[in-house]
């Protein structure tokens, strides 16, 4: 039988845009931010804006509003966006990625990130509250925190952008001074959001639906995930650590954000620090006398920190409520790695809290911490310097711990005051931003193993941190042999920034999770958990700090069935393993580690305090569909004529049908049979 291929009318009319990223609606206790379309999508005639002068056509001159603006990435700034927001002549926006990244920098985040949720307030260091002393992100435009009444999409694919521009050139460009003639090239964007107003409103409505409806329609979901944590010496994850046991806490964030949904490369804002942290954990784990250290070390990776410290505030809450193995009293000192990849002249800055240092005992402990860190950098290509005593802490997870207790701590960054990162919380915080470069012509496997200059620099930082942690944990021997491995760092940078689906990541994850190894990595916290980043940090940490144990698959997946596995102390994972040479089969094995996950859901949702000012209240709206397409649109006159002609034909058909039906007995009566005539 011959095959036939359908070719629908829709495919002949529309060209779908498949490589796009939408701006979606997020909500907190008081506001809604982001973008949305109307319920049936928004349509407009395309106008390409490549320089500011092109805006006048959209805002005042163009005869065919509303317009769908295709905006050059270099013009995606606050000034232009507020102009477009203030007119009814714009129905939507498609932003083309700027290549290369805007040289002047671009940050849609706030100038004072996480303001109001850190340690500084009217009751604690009021002179430092609201970034009065230091504006951390001076390039921040706050665009991500504006509310737009029209849809905004990012065009990720240059080929699709070119198709749109070609359609615009062919149909929409005025010829010879006269306005463009129909048909015109138009775009339609669908991104209708279900939630409105604030988290309080949408959670209340969702809660009512859940109570009274058989099929409740949930309107929004809290941003949530899991924190990843591990200890140098195993502790009972379901028990409690004795009050006298001291723990040195190391922390970083593992999430980022940008204006567009699930596009958060976060190279400098997140990846540089957590990769350094993982490398330091590996270096410390390899020290021969590590099991003799009097203090434990806890490696902590917080999720959701971009959105008012979701992960760290939850861990502090759990510690206070005795829902975590550690208490705040167990924390001896706190070291946090913030943005560390853009060091100028190899300097790393040590930030401390000037308010808690007014206490003499805290000041002495902080001084000891700073001295140990400074001494650890001797002989390394990293110089650690103190920031002036009058400067507050930068936005950091440590601030949430300080809110609860005066813990001696330090935050390590590559910036003395304002961020070095010109692309904080933007789509341009990419590998190029932290100078990750590879020679041309390398295969994926060669690229994975190629040690970049950035990897060497971050390995130096990891070495200094590992040496300092060894001394903070009470180690007395020489630290010169403690060395982070640049090859591990370069593999992690490749995996977390360039390509998740690489041979190393494939070999260290569980077989049933191989589906998480998608394309280009993104580090947005999201509402479905755990996200890919969380899983991968978990398995990389287990690989770097755990040990391979001789257990069968059955024993590894059910350690309580095997003798002396100490299930409460360790986590067991049956991982895929590497490919056998010249084969497609793998050699799986069992990894024993002290890596655990703990909830990163804001306590505000646990307590149902949706209007909280103490804890993060961020939620993400639900939606039905997100899509974009272009097509040719006819003039209103032609549309009306077509409609009228259609209605006339319909009426004529109805009348004809009526009369035919009325005269059916005449029109369709059977002819008489002549042989049946009676005389």
């Amino acid at each position: 039988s011959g095959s036939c291929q359908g070719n629908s009318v829709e495919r002949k009319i529309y060209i779908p845009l498949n490589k796009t990223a939408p701006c979606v609606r997020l909500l907190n206790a008081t506001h809604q931010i982001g973008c949305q379309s109307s319920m049936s999508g928004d349509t407009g005639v395309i106008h390409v804006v490549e320089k500011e002068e092109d805006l006048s056509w959209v805002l005042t001159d163009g005869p065919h509003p509303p317009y769908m603006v295709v905006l050059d990435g270099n013009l995606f700034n606050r000034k232009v966006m507020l102009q477009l927001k203030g007119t009814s002549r714009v129905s939507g926006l498609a932003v083309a990625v700027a290549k290369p990244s805007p040289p002047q920098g671009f940050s849609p985040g706030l100038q004072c990130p996480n303001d109001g949720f850190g340690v500084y307030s009217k009751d604690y260091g009021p002179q430092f509250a609201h970034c009065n002393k230091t504006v951390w992100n001076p390039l921040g435009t706050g665009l991500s925190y504006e509310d737009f009444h029209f849809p905004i999409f990012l065009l990720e694919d240059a080929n699709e952008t070119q198709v749109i521009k070609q359609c615009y050139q062919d149909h929409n460009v005025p010829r010879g001074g006269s306005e463009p003639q129909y048909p015109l090239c138009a775009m339609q964007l669908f991104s209708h959001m279900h939630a409105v107003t604030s988290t309080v409103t949408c959670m209340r409505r969702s809660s009512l639906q859940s109570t009274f409806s058989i099929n409740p329609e949930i309107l929004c979901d809290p941003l949530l995930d899991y924190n990843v944590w591990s200890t140098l010496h195993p502790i009972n994850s379901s028990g409690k650590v004795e009050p006298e046991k001291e723990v040195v806490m190391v922390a970083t964030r593992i999430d980022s954000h940008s204006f567009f949904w699930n596009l958060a490369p976060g190279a400098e804002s997140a990846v540089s620090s957590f990769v350094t942290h993982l490398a330091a954990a590996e270096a410390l784990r390899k020290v021969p006398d590590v099991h003799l250290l009097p203090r434990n070390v806890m490696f902590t990776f917080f999720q959701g920190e971009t959105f008012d410290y979701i992960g760290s505030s939850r861990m502090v809450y759990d510690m206070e409520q005795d829902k975590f193995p550690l208490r705040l009293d167990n924390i001896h000192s706190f070291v946090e790695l913030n943005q560390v990849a853009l060091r100028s002249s190899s300097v790393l800055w040590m930030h401390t809290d000037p308010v808690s240092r007014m206490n003499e005992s805290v000041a002495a402990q902080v001084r000891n911490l700073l001295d140990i860190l400074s001494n650890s950098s001797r002989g390394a290509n990293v110089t650690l310097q103190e920031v002036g005593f009058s400067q507050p802490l930068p936005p950091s997870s440590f601030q949430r711990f300080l809110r609860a207790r005066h813990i001696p701590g330090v935050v390590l960054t590559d910036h003395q005051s304002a961020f070095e990162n010109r692309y904080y919380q933007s789509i341009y915080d990419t590998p190029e931003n932290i100078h990750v470069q590879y020679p041309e012509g390398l295969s994926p496997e060669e690229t994975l193993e190629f040690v970049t200059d950035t990897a060497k620099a971050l390995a130096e930082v990891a070495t200094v941190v590992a040496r300092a942690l060894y001394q903070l944990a009470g180690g007395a021997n020489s630290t010169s042999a403690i060395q982070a491995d640049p090859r591990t760092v370069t593999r992690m940078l490749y995996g977390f920034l360039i390509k998740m689906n690489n041979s190393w990541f494939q070999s260290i994850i569980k077989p049933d999770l191989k589906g998480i190894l998608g394309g280009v990595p993104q580090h947005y916290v999201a509402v479905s958990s755990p996200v890919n980043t969380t899983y991968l940090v978990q398995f990389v940490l287990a690989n770097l700090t755990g040990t391979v144990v001789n257990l069968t698959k059955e024993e590894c997946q059910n350690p309580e069935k095997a003798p002396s596995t100490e299930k409460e102390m360790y986590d067991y994972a049956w991982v895929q393993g590497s490919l056998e040479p010249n084969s497609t089969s793998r050699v799986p094995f069992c990894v024993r580690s002290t890596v655990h996950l703990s909830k990163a859901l804001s306590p505000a949702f646990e307590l149902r305090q949706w209007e909280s000012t103490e804890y993060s209240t961020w939620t993400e709206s639900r939606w039905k569909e997100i899509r974009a397409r272009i097509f040719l649109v006819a003039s209103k006159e032609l549309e009306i004529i077509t409609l009228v002609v259609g209605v006339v034909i319909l009426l004529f058909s109805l009348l004809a049908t009526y009369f035919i039906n009325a005269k059916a007995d005449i029109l369709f009566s059977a002819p008489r049979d002549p042989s049946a005539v009676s005389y």
Side-chain angles (χ1 to χ4, degrees):
S1 65
S3 66
C4 67
Q5 185 176 354
N7 196 357
S8 71
V9 173
E10 184 177 2
R11 289 224 297 271
K12 293 187 178 209
I13 297 173
Y14 299 105
I15 299 175
L17 304 172
N18 299 318
K19 298 271 184 70
T20 59
C23 156
V24 303
R25 176 169 287 164
L26 300 173
L27 309 100
N28 66 8
T30 53
H31 290 78
Q32 63 179 30
I33 62 170
C35 327
Q36 77 154 354
S37 74
S38 59
M39 198 173 283
S40 55
D42 287 326
T43 305
V45 173
I46 292 171
H47 189 73
V48 176
V49 175
E50 294 183 323
K51 49 189 187 298
E52 282 206 40
E53 299 81 77
D54 298 338
L55 282 170
S56 59
W57 184 268
V58 173
L59 299 173
T60 53
D61 304 343
H64 305 119
Y67 283 98
M68 197 60 78
V69 178
V70 176
L71 189 69
D72 183 88
N74 288 298
L75 291 175
F76 185 52
N77 56 48
R78 187 173 182 84
K79 179 188 168 192
V80 170
M81 290 304 294
L82 291 186
Q83 281 181 276
L84 297 174
K85 185 180 176 180
T87 178
S88 59
R89 289 171 56 90
V90 172
S91 60
L93 190 65
V95 182
V97 179
K99 288 188 177 171
S101 301
Q104 71 277 16
F106 172 70
S107 172
L110 298 169
Q111 292 195 342
C112 190
N114 292 1
D115 185 23
F117 289 86
V119 70
Y120 303 111
S121 64
K122 65 182 193 303
D123 305 317
Y124 187 99
Q127 69 273 32
F128 304 126
H130 312 301
C131 296
N132 284 340
K133 201 84 175 176
T134 308
V135 176
W136 295 107
N137 185 30
L139 292 173
T141 61
L143 267 186
S144 288
Y145 296 84
E146 288 286 333
D147 182 34
F148 293 94
H149 55 270
F150 50 75
I152 303 177
F153 279 53
L154 181 73
L155 302 171
E156 297 182 78
D157 184 42
N159 293 333
E160 285 191 345
T161 307
Q162 195 49 49
V163 167
I164 296 167
K165 287 183 177 178
Q166 191 59 53
C167 185
Y168 165 78
Q169 291 288 341
D170 293 344
H171 299 278
N172 296 11
V173 174
R175 311 277 177 208
S178 62
E179 62 183 55
Q181 299 300 306
Y182 286 99
L184 296 172
C185 192
M187 183 184 288
Q188 191 172 27
L189 301 178
F190 297 85
S191 63
H192 180 67
M193 299 287 137
H194 293 178
V196 292
T197 312
S198 67
T199 289
V200 179
T201 303
C202 86
M203 290 300 287
R204 188 180 66 240
R205 288 177 180 172
S206 296
S207 180
L208 283 168
Q209 289 246 20
S210 301
T211 308
F212 297 111
S213 174
I214 299 169
N215 297 311
E217 185 183 354
I218 306 301
L219 304 175
C220 63
D221 301 282
L223 295 180
L224 80 157
D225 207 81
Y226 287 88
N227 298 322
V228 182
W229 63 277
S230 164
T231 50
L232 204 54
H233 306 149
I235 60 172
N236 187 336
S237 60
S238 56
K240 289 283 175 289
V241 172
E242 294 85 352
E244 67 278 2
K245 291 272 177 73
E246 292 185 319
V247 177
V248 179
M249 197 162 178
V250 206
T252 44
R253 67 175 56 190
I254 56 175
D255 69 300
S256 188
H257 179 44
S258 82
F259 186 87
F260 299 99
W261 182 72
N262 206 27
L263 267 193
E268 159 74 340
S269 62
V271 178
S272 68
S273 52
F274 76 69
V275 158
T276 306
H277 185 168
L278 287 162
E282 180 192 35
L284 189 60
R285 188 74 185 78
K286 287 178 176 174
V287 178
D289 64 336
V290 72
H291 58 286
L292 302 173
L293 294 175
R295 292 188 193 100
N296 208 341
V297 178
M298 179 171 165
F299 307 106
T300 321
F301 300 82
F302 291 120
Q303 259 290 15
E305 294 301 275
T306 307
F307 295 96
D308 300 336
Y309 306 119
I310 293 172
S312 53
S313 64
R314 178 55 187 257
M315 188 171 279
V316 171
Y317 173 80
D318 285 346
M319 286 179 173
E320 290 176 322
Q321 300 295 317
D322 271 354
K323 294 177 180 175
F324 196 79
L326 290 178
R327 298 177 182 86
L328 289 165
D329 296 345
N330 293 118
I331 301 173
H332 167 267
S333 49
F334 198 105
V335 177
E336 181 169 352
L337 286 160
N338 221 310
Q339 306 179 69
V340 293
L342 296 174
R343 305 198 310 280
S344 53
S345 64
S346 296
V347 175
L348 208 56
W349 296 94
M350 300 184 288
H351 299 259
T352 55
D353 172 41
V355 181
S356 60
R357 284 180 73 178
M358 290 176 185
N359 178 310
E360 279 185 26
S361 69
V362 173
Q365 289 171 291
V366 171
R367 171 48 46 206
N368 177 50
L369 183 55
L370 294 170
D371 290 344
I372 286 174
L373 278 160
S374 298
N375 294 338
S376 300
S377 67
R378 286 182 189 157
N381 291 337
V382 183
T383 311
L384 270 81
Q385 290 189 19
E386 281 182 61
V387 176
F389 192 75
S390 61
Q391 187 172 287
L393 286 167
S396 50
S397 308
F398 178 44
Q399 292 201 27
R400 290 301 303 195
F401 284 81
L402 273 179
R403 277 175 80 128
R405 188 171 177 271
H406 280 179
I407 297 167
V410 64
V411 178
L412 301 177
T413 73
D414 55 22
H415 54 89
Q416 183 178 2
S417 53
F419 294 163
E420 293 284 335
N421 187 1
R422 293 175 302 138
Y423 305 109
Y424 183 73
Q425 288 186 9
S426 97
I427 55 171
Y428 303 112
D429 191 5
T430 56
E432 292 76 25
N433 186 30
I434 58 169
H435 315 301
V436 173
Q437 292 167 327
Y438 299 95
E440 286 186 24
L442 295 183
S443 68
E445 205 57 36
E446 290 167 337
T447 316
L448 172 69
E449 301 293 343
F450 180 82
V451 180
T452 60
D453 291 341
T454 304
K456 291 173 189 169
L458 291 178
E460 292 276 1
V461 176
T463 297
V464 171
V465 171
R467 289 174 180 177
L469 291 175
Y470 175 78
Q471 291 179 272
L472 285 168
N477 294 337
S478 166
T479 59
S480 57
I482 300 175
Q483 197 76 39
D485 188 351
R487 290 171 304 171
T488 303
V489 176
T490 211
R491 283 171 158 195
M492 289 193 284
L493 287 175
Y494 181 78
F496 286 113
L497 288 175
I498 315 281
K499 189 183 178 189
M500 278 188 172
N501 199 3
N502 62 71
S503 60
W504 185 48
F505 278 6
Q506 287 166 10
S507 70
I508 63 172
I509 65 166
K510 292 179 178 177
D512 57 330
L513 291 176
K514 59 188 176 194
I516 68 169
L517 298 177
V520 179
Q522 305 300 342
H523 307 293
Y524 171 61
V525 56
V527 294
S528 56
S529 60
V531 293
N532 303 6
T533 307
T534 306
Y535 273 131
L536 289 169
V537 168
Q538 178 190 3
F539 287 110
V540 169
L541 183 59
N543 181 269
L544 299 181
T545 61
T547 49
V548 177
V549 288
N550 188 20
L551 293 177
T552 64
K553 181 180 179 180
E554 180 70 20
E555 290 171 333
C556 191
Q557 292 176 337
N558 303 283
E560 62 278 358
K561 292 183 179 177
S564 65
T565 50
E566 298 180 282
K567 185 178 177 294
E568 296 77 24
M569 311 294 277
Y570 295 102
D571 179 75
Y572 292 83
W574 184 258
V575 300
Q576 289 198 121
S578 303
L579 285 169
E580 290 179 326
N582 304 320
S583 169
T584 54
S585 60
R586 295 181 174 275
V587 187
F589 56 92
C590 188
V591 175
R592 186 185 75 181
S593 70
T594 59
V595 180
H596 303 281
L597 298 180
S598 69
K599 255 189 189 174
L601 167 66
S602 170
F605 297 100
E606 201 92 336
L607 301 165
R608 293 175 72 87
Q609 294 175 358
W610 303 319
E611 70 294 331
S612 173
T613 53
E614 168 77 8
Y615 299 113
S616 169
T617 54
W618 285 106
T619 53
E620 180 185 278
S621 173
R622 289 198 177 184
W623 58 81
K624 193 164 255 175
E625 64 172 347
I626 300 257
R627 61 192 173 99
R629 60 191 186 181
I630 62 171
F631 57 97
L632 293 180
V633 65
S635 67
K636 285 278 180 284
E637 293 81 2
L638 182 58
E639 286 178 346
I640 291 166
I641 290 167
T642 307
L643 177 65
V644 170
V645 169
V647 170
V648 168
I649 292 170
L650 175 66
L651 292 173
F652 178 77
S653 304
L654 291 171
L655 282 168
T657 307
Y658 173 75
F659 283 116
I660 290 169
N661 194 42
K663 306 292 182 183
D665 54 333
I666 298 169
L667 293 171
F668 304 112
S669 61
R672 290 184 175 185
D673 185 352
S675 62
V677 177
S678 58
Y679 294 96

